[in-house]
Amino acid sequence: MPNIVQRLFQRDEQGLSDMQAEYGSMCMSFAYNILRNQEDAEECWNDTLLAIWNAIPPACPENLKAFIFRILRNIALDQYRKKHSVKRGNGEYECAIDELAEILAGSNNTESEVENREMLSAVNAFLNTLSDTKKELFMKRYWRLCSIADIAEEYHLSENNVKVTLHRVRQNLQKHLKKEGLL
């Protein structure tokens, strides 16, 4: 049986069905963490399926899961921004971005693609120095945009423990980026 990417390259709609079966529930959960609305998450997932259908071919992702989640995240964040552009609420997106903005504020001036890649490389190198748990907490908060409460519940920690751990990780990230000359 051909894999999902091969099916999409052949313009076989079964590839979309296979993708839904394999990644649908994970993607819906991911979109819900950002949008906090089930209907919006479903719409976002459908938009993602369409975007993938339109992208493959010519794109030929080596890591389909990463490809799907990058597209899904971008669509979900765009949808979130549209819904909250007039009235900024207390959503997890703003909280998570505000927490990182203290560290990465200096990187907003970077115009060059090379500098952006250096920053990404430095952040990835830093993440690889963390314990698995700290890395997972960081990724859940700043990539998946999960709430502190959800993270605490999943890892059986107090909310304060999660906040303190993330604060320390951000401080260490800042030190690492300064050491690398990126801040």
Side-chain angles (χ1 to χ4, degrees):
M1 178 172 105
N3 71 28
I4 295 170
V5 175
Q6 289 172 333
R7 286 185 186 273
L8 293 174
F9 250 93
Q10 297 167 355
R11 306 311 287 166
D12 180 354
E13 292 180 16
Q14 183 63 40
L16 293 175
S17 298
D18 293 347
M19 198 172 1
Q20 172 66 32
E22 189 164 337
Y23 300 107
S25 61
M26 259 191 307
C27 289
M28 287 292 297
S29 174
F30 184 84
Y32 182 83
N33 282 340
I34 295 171
L35 300 168
R36 297 291 180 199
N37 179 293
Q38 191 64 34
E39 290 171 357
D40 290 345
E42 289 172 14
E43 180 183 339
C44 181
W45 174 232
N46 288 330
D47 290 348
T48 301
L49 289 171
L50 178 62
I52 291 168
W53 179 259
N54 290 332
I56 302 175
C60 184
E62 291 181 28
N63 183 334
L64 181 61
K65 185 176 178 180
F67 185 77
I68 292 169
F69 276 92
R70 187 189 64 208
I71 291 173
L72 176 65
R73 185 174 193 268
N74 289 339
I75 290 172
L77 290 175
D78 286 346
Q79 190 171 347
Y80 181 91
R81 286 183 195 110
K82 285 177 189 171
K83 286 191 175 269
H84 294 89
S85 63
V86 175
K87 181 180 177 185
R88 298 281 181 190
N90 291 333
E92 291 305 319
Y93 173 72
E94 285 93 358
C95 292
I97 296 306
D98 287 346
E99 289 169 10
L100 277 181
E102 297 169 8
I103 298 167
L104 301 176
S107 68
N108 290 338
N109 298 332
T110 1
E111 299 291 326
S112 159
E113 181 71 22
V114 172
E115 290 173 338
N116 287 334
R117 286 185 184 171
E118 286 176 3
M119 179 67 76
L120 180 60
S121 177
V123 170
N124 283 334
F126 168 76
L127 291 176
N128 287 331
T129 68
L130 298 176
S131 69
D132 288 343
T133 301
K134 287 180 182 176
K135 188 186 308 186
E136 289 169 13
L137 293 176
F138 186 90
M139 295 301 291
K140 284 194 181 286
R141 180 66 176 156
Y142 302 116
W143 173 252
R144 294 195 62 199
L145 302 173
C146 295
S147 71
I148 297 290
D150 289 345
I151 295 169
E153 183 179 330
E154 181 176 345
Y155 286 87
H156 307 289
L157 301 169
S158 69
E159 287 185 33
N160 190 54
N161 190 318
V162 172
K163 288 178 188 178
V164 168
T165 301
L166 289 171
H167 177 74
R168 289 179 181 155
V169 170
R170 288 192 313 271
Q171 284 179 323
N172 290 333
L173 173 59
Q174 185 175 27
K175 288 176 189 173
H176 177 77
L177 295 175
K178 282 181 180 176
K179 179 179 152 197
E180 295 293 317
L182 295 169
L183 290 183

